[in-house]
Amino acid sequence: MEKPFLMSVEDVFCLQQGRMVMLTGRIERGRVRKGDEVEIVGLGVGATARVADIDASHVRIDEAGADMNVGVLLRGIAADAVERGHVLATPGSISAHACFAADITLLSEEQGGAGVVSGDRLRFHTRSAAVWGSVTLHGVDVVRPLHGAEVTATLEEPVALEEAQPFAFRQRGRAAGSGTVTRLPR
């Protein structure tokens, strides 16, 4: 609860003929209060807005904390400017990145894992975001199923990332493996 507020946006609803937007999701950490300023991070957006209200199961509340599923109502943000995959956070507490270093591990062949080589195009899933990107392997030519490697991932769109953040990835439409962000550019 003492960490800065962070919530992944899972869905977006337009209310009052577009005058308000409700962003729904589960609060990952921290707390948010009615009147707080929040930042929308990732996928090319970097806007800030003030929390007009908080909805928890169709009940308006003044404050929400970690592990609660809520709707955060914002005024002055266009509904088409926010989408699933964005993160709502305390301003300046997290930033979006399109490139990062990571340790990855592939699934077994039975689970859908297949060899990965430098330049492979993968679909990365982190929090509620799903973004295309490619990998560059370090120290090996190919990663085989059930093996791991250090990689640099380059995403087509920046997403909100932190060191030690887990992610999953798909290859050719199938689950392929998972990883952890080890380093972000400074």
Side-chain angles (χ1 to χ4, degrees):
M1 287 289 211
E2 301 311 314
K3 293 183 178 179
F5 167 69
L6 182 94
M7 181 184 97
S8 295
V9 175
E10 294 175 13
D11 215 339
V12 179
F13 299 96
C14 188
L15 306 173
Q16 298 176 359
Q17 287 92 30
R19 290 190 304 272
M20 290 187 81
V21 173
M22 182 190 302
L23 309 178
T24 62
R26 186 179 74 69
I27 298 175
E28 193 173 308
R29 66 170 184 242
R31 66 180 68 227
V32 64
R33 294 175 183 87
K34 188 174 172 178
D36 283 357
E37 187 174 41
V38 293
E39 182 178 17
I40 301 164
V41 181
L43 305 175
V45 174
T48 59
R50 195 153 304 279
V51 175
D53 228 327
I54 302 168
D55 184 290
S57 300
H58 305 292
V59 175
R60 296 295 162 101
I61 57 177
D62 291 331
E63 179 180 311
D67 295 326
M68 291 179 70
N69 288 308
V70 297
V72 176
L73 285 87
L74 304 176
R75 221 181 278 283
I77 297 290
D80 60 356
V82 187
E83 63 182 285
R84 178 182 176 88
H86 282 118
V87 167
L88 202 57
T90 299
S93 64
I94 189 168
S95 55
H97 299 274
C99 186
F100 61 94
D103 288 330
I104 63 167
T105 304
L106 298 183
L107 296 172
S108 68
E109 287 182 41
E110 294 80 29
Q111 295 172 316
V116 171
V117 297
S118 285
D120 274 357
R121 191 164 187 253
L122 306 172
R123 184 84 167 159
F124 290 86
H125 298 265
T126 178
R127 292 189 175 98
S128 60
V131 179
W132 286 103
S134 60
V135 293
T136 303
L137 304 178
H138 301 290
V140 294
D141 295 329
V142 64
V143 183
R144 302 267 179 226
L146 289 178
H147 289 87
E150 292 180 16
V151 301
T152 299
T154 305
L155 305 176
E156 292 179 7
E157 293 181 273
V159 295
L161 290 173
E162 300 173 296
E163 290 183 0
Q165 182 176 321
F167 62 90
F169 56 91
R170 298 176 69 82
Q171 181 182 34
R172 297 180 195 99
R174 298 176 62 180
S178 62
T180 304
V181 175
T182 57
R183 193 175 59 260
L184 295 168
R186 299 283 175 218

